[in-house]
Amino acid sequence: MMRLHEILHPSAGTILISEWLTGTTERARAAADAVAEEWAAGEAPPARLSQHMFVDTAGSGLLHYAQWTSDEDHLAWAREHRGSVISRVDTRVPGIERPGLNRTRLRRSLVHDAESPAGVLVVTMGRPDAHEEPVPQAPGLLAEHLHVTTDGERAIVFTEWTDSAAYETSTSVATAAAADPYAKAPHAKTPHAPYAKTKTYILHSA
């Protein structure tokens, strides 16, 4: 799977992150295919520097990750084109829930291993104050990328892992260590903050 540090664009003035809830794996992939076909059919707006989609491994939906030159440029495009694109996608996959768009800035990017392929992307949404410290290094953790919404109300953390087993093992070990007052584990902090929403994804298309 493509690594996030490989797609981060130096000219990006804003990073747009949004979730689409589809309910099933089949509907998620159908929605992703429909969006990919929309991209291929139309001329890419110059202000859109990159756009990627990730499919939730649990089958509940998609995650969109788009880099634009600015929020203003994206809004100008959205006013003219977004409605028709969404309408065509919804005709093919009706009933998609869209909780909302997060306009973010990349605040921190730590790459521990730039060469190994990532088997899974873990995305955690929570309070910014709960993510002030980096995710502790753990076996299988390749990188961490912290995004914060422009209103400062939400942090969205992307962590890349070699595979789901490495992430799950780290979570179990850290949770057990955090509950043990005598534990000395270097990654005793859990990979995601309390009260945060965490999902795992794999890349669908770029």
Side-chain angles (χ1 to χ4, degrees), residues 155-177:
I156 306 176
V157 183
F158 287 66
T159 52
E160 297 171 291
W161 297 79
T162 52
D163 52 37
S164 296
Y167 168 67
E168 292 166 2
T169 297
S170 179
T171 301
S172 299
V173 170
T175 300

Side-chain angles (χ1 to χ4, degrees), residues 124-147:
T124 303
M125 299 186 184
R127 302 188 308 265
D129 59 356
H131 298 279
E132 291 179 354
E133 296 182 10
V135 173
Q137 290 193 43
L141 175 62
L142 303 175
E144 177 209 20
H145 308 277
L146 170 64
H147 304 70

